[in-house]
Amino acid sequence: MFKVLIVDDEKSMRITLSEFLRPEGYEIDTAVDANQAFQMMDEINYDIIVTDIIMPRITGIELLERIRKKSQTVQIIIMTGEPTVDTAVKAVQSGANDYLTKPIKKENFISAIRHAEKVKRLIDEKEELERQNLKYQRGLEHIVEEKTNALKAAMQGIISLLSSVVEARDPYTAGHQRRVGNLSAEIGRKMMLDEKAIEEIRMIGYIHDIGKIAIPAEILSKPGSLTELELLMVKTHSDSGYEMLMKVDLPINIAQTIRQHHERCDGTGYPRGLSGSEISMEAQILMVADVVEAMMSHRPYRPALGLEKALNEIRTNGGRYYNSEVVSACLSLFEEDHYKIDDSEHEIDFKL
């Protein structure tokens, strides 16, 4: 049973949130302030912590920072009745996983808790997988091909789960990561990359938006233009994905590619404004596939623009925003090979 700690100096809020969760089967504790929360955390390993920002003596932000020094895996949901740009950015930078504004609606609160549970369960499964992998690496020679295949299947399952968690948060882009991964792989094949590189870029594509699990769902699916705060929060997803994957025993270029997939060759992209050769070839392939697929697909703020406009975008800006070699390969793929967008999930040949 997942353990949830609710920290709020208002008794009515602690009672209300507890009653929201009790029928959902969670084990719930409450704390009146940050000091009591610290004491309880010393005795109990909580899976999810929900805390108000404005509290006496020690604020929710200070509590958040102290929690993160102790644990990087506990899921933290910040609540506030006085939302501002600075507060939201500070919460995300300090390690908050989600951000709710008061008054708290029951359905939004339960949805946030369920999402936090999914992410925590994923993290726990990942850590267990890493423990199993470490055991394997220490030379347990009796682990044979069946165990290796099981480990590959587990990794495939984690990649699928990572992808599905993002889609659960952002239903308007369901299948986007698979389509981008498959298109990236075919562009790589057109560019004569080796099979290991092709499969790796497919895998990266399947999880390239993993950082979006840190973005509130209502922002991801919002129709119309985003506010300055919302756009700023969305743009954190590249760095968030990088930070998540740097904690996993995977080649560093996977995390780096995910961090760079919104960069542009002329330095106008984000998050770091890289340009030219500062951007990995994998990221330069991924950014083209991402743009083409996104323009071809429906978004909550616009209808699908179609293949012609998508190809015209990369053709017009090849050599400026996008690598010319990658653009040529992508155009050839569609215009000469008549490639059709592939929404299927391919089995990835992990090189363990």
Side-chain angles (χ1 to χ4, degrees), residues 50-73:
V50 182
T51 179
D52 192 12
I53 286 184
I54 300 176
M55 294 188 293
R57 293 181 294 279
I58 300 177
T59 68
I61 294 294
E62 293 174 296
L63 171 60
L64 169 58
E65 292 172 344
R66 290 180 62 175
I67 292 172
R68 279 290 171 247
K69 290 179 181 178
K70 180 178 180 181
S71 171
Q72 292 295 316
T73 62

Side-chain angles (χ1 to χ4, degrees), residues 115-131:
H115 171 67
E117 177 187 352
K118 288 180 181 179
V119 174
K120 183 59 165 61
R121 195 181 302 279
L122 175 64
I123 291 171
D124 291 346
E125 290 176 357
K126 182 265 294 181
E127 290 183 342
E128 177 59 27
L129 178 62
E130 288 178 338
R131 283 192 288 270

